Amino acid sequence: MRWLLLPARAALLLSLVPWAAHAAVPTVEVSGTSIIGTTQASADNVTVEFFGGIPFAQPPIGELRFASPVEVDSLGVSTFNATAFGAPCVQPDVDGVSEDCLTLNVYRPSESLLSNETLAPVMLWIYGGGFAGGVTSVYTANNIIAQSVLRETPVLYVSINYRVGPFGFPQGTEAGQLGAVNLGLRDQLAAISWVQKHISAFGGDPTKITLFGQSAGSISIGHLLLNAGLENYGVRGVIMESGSAGTLPLFNASRRDLLWDAFAANVSTCAGVLRGSTFPCLRNASASDLLTSWESAISVFPDPFLFVPVLDGPTGLIPDLPSTQLAAGGIPKIPFIAGTVLDEGTAFVPQQLASITDLFNFVLDAVSPYPQTLTTPVQEDVVALLGLYSGDPDSDLDGSPFGTGNETFGAGAQYKLAAAMFGDMAFQAPRRAWMQAAAAAGVPAYGYLFADQNAAAADPSLGVHHGAEVPYVYEFSYVGAANPDSGLVARAMVDYWVSFVASGTPNDGKGLARTVWPQYESDNQVPIQFDTTNLTSGSSNGTFATIPDDYRAAPVSLLNSKAADFNQ
Ligand SMILES: *[C@@H]1O[C@H](CO)[C@@H](O)[C@H](O)[C@H]1NC(C)=O
Ligand SMILES: *[C@@H]1O[C@H](CO)[C@@H](O)[C@H](O)[C@H]1NC(C)=O
Ligand SMILES: *[C@@H]1O[C@H](CO)[C@@H](O)[C@H](O)[C@H]1NC(C)=O
Ligand SMILES: *[C@@H]1O[C@H](CO)[C@@H](O)[C@H](O)[C@H]1NC(C)=O
Ligand SMILES: *[C@@H]1O[C@H](CO)[C@@H](O)[C@H](O)[C@H]1NC(C)=O
Ligand SMILES: *[C@@H]1O[C@H](CO)[C@@H](O)[C@H](O)[C@H]1NC(C)=O
Ligand SMILES: *[C@@H]1O[C@H](CO)[C@@H](O)[C@H](O)[C@H]1NC(C)=O
Ligand SMILES: *[C@@H]1O[C@H](CO)[C@@H](O)[C@H](O)[C@H]1NC(C)=O
Ligand SMILES: *[C@@H]1O[C@H](CO)[C@@H](O)[C@H](O)[C@H]1NC(C)=O
């Protein structure tokens, strides 16, 4: 078998390393280091091997705080204990965080289940969390790996950490001038590069990498797709769950000088620092002081997203607005799946919004960093946009959660309209624009709308909320235990995802019998709708409707024609 043919590995087995006697201890050789993983039984009795906490870059601490990641190719030790996850990156409300967090994890079918002749395709997960959080250990890939084996297209799964908040996305003129922006995106690229160089040692094919991610992970993938030359990293497909490059408005780093001023001044050891010379002091401060100051900025600034990707100029990672780039034909020929959930906006909108003024102010906070400046085009666009929603509280057009008629959930009078608008502005419109651009450029693309009402939150005012599809992708056994029909939806989704990873199309004919997912074409714009309504009770077939991509056509068209006004 291939592993044994590697001289280093062979030598290791012949030597008297204690665990060599236990064939069950998974071990992989990377650049002279034996990476020792662990074995886990998964659902369906498929044995899965796990290698966690593997560093792909130097710890971004000391002088490397606020600096681009420095890739590591060698771990510098003879054996590396990879039986556990590495620490999550520093973020609020999570235990055990560390600034030394640039690590990744690999899941694979046990060696005996992998082909000895061919390397397996690789799927690489980039977590969401608003660029302010994210923890890989909550995304366990055992089910995905098991299903990939049972459907006879085994894949490897990798999840990566990247810096978030002020550690990963510094703001302000100083950060912009030093090029110390979009660092979290650069972390992602460093991890992808590590995978390209080393995944073959795990049995993965470095030329068959598919990125997938949700929310901020999906937004990141959009930016990388437009600007990072992903085809040079062995990436041959991407799956974007609820996030496009244009989901969050983009500005120059200097637009958030006030935020960075306040953040720096609020670090107790840096109280007197001046704008333009904060980095030496901030690099010297403790990570926990930075975290405390970040938390206080969250409580003080009204913008829902603070430390996020920024425009970084012609030689940077985000040279221009995504809408401008798409209009200029900037979409690369990498096939993709892109989708949204039914009620994307609900989780982001304050429930108490009562008046049109409240609604207006909410939109303003969302589209413009503090201090908010109401430019004429944005003002006019929002007025025009409001005119395109019907104003009828019974209309499905106006109210998200959609399909809930005149139910107000005890929320303010403008809550449901605001949720519909925000969902369209941040998610539905950019997703549609992206797919239309892809179709025009001949890039294979597959769209979905996730609308399973069984995934709705316990709080009915949130509907089929942002993030609702994630358990379907990761935990179909859990989903199926609660509702067998939804479990079938979940299994079918994993089949489509794995099929796409393994073959480049979601329709490889393996796994569950399921609806053929039509490619999104200029003259056939039809996403698939993931819910239980078209399943036949008692059947094990994944049968889904395909729907015309024309829901809320008027507001979505307006948003897409004015995307640059909204800095998207
Ligand atoms: C897994 O193994 C257990 C115990 O041998 C068995 O009862 C069960 O049916 C198996 N499940 C599958 C999906 O093969
Ligand atoms: C590897 O690390 C885990 C905890 O992360 C520990 O329980 C285990 O004993 C370690 N194994 C070795 C061989 O050091
Ligand atoms: C690969 O080789 C090993 C050892 O020779 C064997 O146990 C395993 O069944 C083989 N796997 C496949 C898929 O052929
Ligand atoms: C952003 O910076 C670029 C140059 O770095 C400049 O051309 C552009 O005008 C700036 N945009 C804004 C809105 O300040
Ligand atoms: C940081 O900000 C919080 C909230 O505004 C304030 O209570 C605290 O005193 C500030 N700390 C420093 C060191 O400026
Ligand atoms: C770094 O911190 C130490 C002690 O906390 C202090 O003595 C030193 O002056 C600081 N250096 C800078 C550049 O702020
Ligand atoms: C809400 O709609 C239902 C029927 O769909 C109707 O019976 C009820 O009177 C309406 N409630 C209000 C407050 O308009
Ligand atoms: C399939 O789903 C579509 C869209 O939700 C719906 O219009 C249609 O009635 C469904 N068909 C069946 C047989 O349930
Ligand atoms: C399930 O799909 C298969 C293959 O497409 C088909 O032959 C079979 O009739 C379907 N079964 C049901 C119950 O729909």
Side-chain angles (χ1 to χ4, degrees), residues 276-297:
S277 54
T278 65
F279 273 38
C281 185
L282 290 175
R283 282 208 170 103
N284 195 30
S286 76
S288 71
D289 279 356
L290 298 191
L291 175 59
T292 304
S293 182
W294 174 12
E295 288 168 338
S296 110

Side-chain angles (χ1 to χ4, degrees), residues 136-147:
T136 53
S137 61
V138 304
Y139 305 101
T140 52
N142 292 354
N143 279 304
I144 294 175
I145 298 288
Q147 192 164 335

Side-chain angles (χ1 to χ4, degrees), residues 318-490:
I318 309 182
D320 210 341
L321 295 178
S323 58
T324 308
Q325 294 184 294
L326 283 185
I331 199 160
K333 301 229 179 285
I334 294 180
F336 66 90
I337 290 173
T340 48
V341 302
L342 184 63
D343 298 304
E344 288 285 3
T346 50
F348 299 100
V349 173
Q351 298 247 341
Q352 69 275 13
L353 291 184
S355 66
I356 290 291
T357 307
D358 291 347
L359 174 72
F360 220 90
N361 289 336
F362 165 74
V363 172
L364 212 52
D365 285 347
V367 303
S368 178
Y370 180 81
Q372 279 77 22
T373 46
L374 184 51
T375 59
T376 305
V378 172
Q379 187 167 22
E380 288 170 359
D381 295 343
V382 174
V383 170
L385 191 59
L386 282 171
L388 295 176
Y389 292 88
S390 76
D392 172 3
D394 282 359
S395 163
D396 270 1
L397 184 66
D398 278 12
S400 178
F402 295 107
T404 52
N406 62 9
E407 174 63 59
T408 59
F409 305 101
Q414 301 305 328
Y415 164 69
K416 288 174 70 177
L417 173 56
M421 269 183 68
F422 186 81
D424 286 347
M425 186 180 286
F427 298 99
Q428 310 292 356
R431 196 274 307 148
R432 186 172 296 165
W434 192 287
M435 299 203 77
Q436 290 174 339
V443 180
Y446 303 88
Y448 72 83
L449 177 67
F450 178 86
D452 187 359
Q453 290 295 335
N454 297 323
D459 174 354
S461 70
L462 297 178
V464 184
H465 58 94
H466 187 66
E469 90 293 355
V470 174
Y472 285 58
V473 173
Y474 277 93
E475 298 295 344
F476 55 76
S477 310
Y478 164 83
V479 170
N483 182 299
D485 283 350
S486 290
L488 189 53
V489 176

Side-chain angles (χ1 to χ4, degrees), residues 1-4 111-117:
M1 83 201 264
R2 193 181 53 254
W3 327 105
L4 292 179
E111 258 182 303
S112 61
L113 298 169
L114 282 171
S115 157
N116 291 331
E117 285 79 36

Side-chain angles (χ1 to χ4, degrees), residues 136-159:
T136 53
S137 61
V138 304
Y139 305 101
T140 52
N142 292 354
N143 279 304
I144 294 175
I145 298 288
Q147 192 164 335
S148 82
V149 170
L150 295 176
R151 72 195 304 288
E152 299 179 334
T153 57
V155 299
L156 272 64
Y157 168 99
V158 177
S159 56

Side-chain angles (χ1 to χ4, degrees), residues 88-145:
C89 294
V90 178
Q91 57 193 279
D93 305 324
V94 171
D95 290 334
V97 297
S98 168
E99 220 183 337
D100 180 2
C101 66
L102 296 185
T103 61
L104 55 75
N105 316 293
V106 180
Y107 291 73
R108 69 173 186 185
S110 68
E111 258 182 303
S112 61
L113 298 169
L114 282 171
S115 157
N116 291 331
E117 285 79 36
T118 52
L119 296 168
V122 180
M123 54 202 301
L124 187 153
W125 175 253
I126 303 180
Y127 53 61
F131 299 102
V135 178
T136 53
S137 61
V138 304
Y139 305 101
T140 52
N142 292 354
N143 279 304
I144 294 175
I145 298 288

